Amino acid sequence: MAWDVEGLVASLAGRSEHTRRAYEHDATEFVVWAERGGCPDPAALDRRTLRRYLAYLETRGFARRTVARKAAAVRALVAHLRRTGQLAGDPGRALHAPRREARLPRVPSAADAAALLDRAAATLNAVDEPLPRALAERDVALLELLYGAGLRVSEACGLRLDACDLGAGLVTVLGKRAKTRRVPIGAPARAALGVYLDEARPVLAGADSPPVVFLTRRGTALPPRDAHRVVAAHPLRDGRRTHPHALRHAYATHLLDGGADLRAVQELLGHADLTTTQLYTHLSQDRLRAVYAATHPRA
């Protein structure tokens, strides 16, 4: 194929499967649009065509975050074509999508997070059969790890057995762009993970099970969509369902609420850019303002 989307995807070997699929989808979508719009191959591509595509995306009513993501995929495709000699220049460098909105996530309070985890652990008392109990212990360990270590759902699902050092209270995580980091875990997460690994995982594992921590009932690696279902099955006290990334947001926000250094939180989260971590300082400041407004006599 002249546009070589397959080559672009192959060049992203260090990225997550989710990222590769998204780039493939968005780049293919651009190629289909370009070929229908009179640009049959990369040789005809210019800045004007790219600007027309950006305007097309905006007229379709996509959110700014979506337009920015699709523009990033097109820039990556054009840069790949230039690297492989199919383009003399790089018109994609001029493709500037609208700035994404810095949306503040809604996170569970510390009390809500603690209540969620306590209720999940309490469900173990009502389960006796080996397989259902193994799944319940897996779910408790997963919840504790998502909140207690602030892992991305893909990181938790990809966590390997040899990456867990429960004695030292550390897990080694493979994050975005294949970067590794060591993250401390607290006593509740260590205890839940230890019970799961000692008692539950052997029930789930089969001869061909991969060496990852979290398994399905069939002994395969737990996929992120199933992890989302696990979290959704344990709502907050007010009945609201939550999701894995909200627990990661809560982890970061509660660390900052407790006085943690912003650079340390950046390292724990695996953020490449400090400005990403700074989003959580706004959450903490908003909470402080709310407390001040509700309690200070001169507020």
Side-chain angles (χ1 to χ4, degrees):
M1 181 178 179
W3 291 94
D4 196 23
V5 173
E6 296 87 349
L8 167 67
V9 176
S11 72
L12 301 173
R15 304 289 188 91
S16 70
E17 182 182 351
H18 175 77
T19 299
R20 293 197 301 273
R21 283 203 305 265
Y23 270 59
E24 181 177 21
H25 174 271
D26 292 340
T28 301
E29 190 176 69
F30 166 72
V31 170
V32 170
W33 175 89
E35 290 177 341
R36 287 177 178 171
C39 185
D41 59 63
L45 189 62
D46 56 18
R47 293 182 182 182
R48 183 179 178 184
T49 302
L50 294 176
R51 286 198 297 268
R52 282 176 46 225
Y53 183 63
L54 191 60
Y56 161 75
L57 293 177
E58 292 171 347
T59 60
R60 289 194 59 190
F62 288 120
R64 283 194 286 177
R65 290 174 64 90
T66 303
V67 174
R69 189 200 74 209
K70 291 179 179 294
V74 173
R75 281 197 302 271
L77 175 63
V78 174
H80 167 72
L81 293 171
R82 183 174 184 271
R83 284 196 306 271
T84 55
Q86 298 186 62
L87 273 177
D90 187 357
R93 294 179 63 182
L95 186 65
H96 298 297
R99 295 188 64 179
R100 295 190 295 182
E101 300 167 285
R103 296 185 299 173
L104 297 181
R106 186 177 182 184
V107 301
S109 67
D112 280 340
L116 182 154
L117 296 171
D118 288 345
R119 286 198 309 277
T123 62
L124 297 176
N125 299 326
V127 184
D128 294 321
E129 293 296 320
L131 180 58
R133 185 171 182 85
L135 293 171
E137 289 177 343
R138 177 204 65 189
D139 294 353
V140 171
L142 177 64
L143 290 166
E144 286 284 0
L145 198 62
L146 289 171
Y147 176 63
L151 303 190
R152 300 178 178 94
V153 66
S154 59
E155 294 170 347
C157 291
L159 187 65
R160 295 176 59 87
L161 291 170
D162 57 10
C164 299
D165 186 345
L166 297 186
L170 293 168
V171 292
T172 302
V173 178
L174 181 65
K176 286 187 174 181
R177 301 179 186 273
K179 292 182 179 178
T180 60
R181 68 184 190 280
R182 301 192 78 189
V183 183
I185 57 175
R190 289 166 68 180
L193 201 53
V195 168
Y196 165 70
L197 290 174
D198 291 342
E199 301 177 8
R201 192 182 182 282
V203 176
L204 302 176
D208 297 325
S209 292
V212 296
V213 171
F214 295 107
L215 300 175
T216 66
R217 64 173 60 237
R218 298 180 302 279
T220 57
L222 185 74
R225 65 177 179 275
D226 285 3
H228 277 270
R229 293 190 186 107
V230 169
V231 178
H234 294 83
L236 301 174
R237 290 183 293 184
D238 61 4
R240 282 186 296 123
R241 289 189 175 187
T242 189
H243 52 88
H245 216 64
L247 296 179
R248 176 172 159 87
H249 289 319
Y251 167 83
T253 303
H254 300 162
L255 282 173
L256 291 167
D257 283 345
D261 177 74
L262 187 63
R263 287 283 184 184
V265 175
Q266 177 192 9
E267 187 173 340
L268 290 168
L269 291 173
H271 285 161
D273 192 337
L274 186 64
T275 58
T276 307
T277 315
Q278 285 174 331
L279 172 66
Y280 301 102
T281 65
H282 300 311
L283 283 169
S284 296
Q285 289 165 6
D286 287 346
R287 186 165 294 168
L288 289 173
R289 290 190 193 100
V291 171
Y292 171 76
T295 59
H296 196 279
R298 304 284 286 183

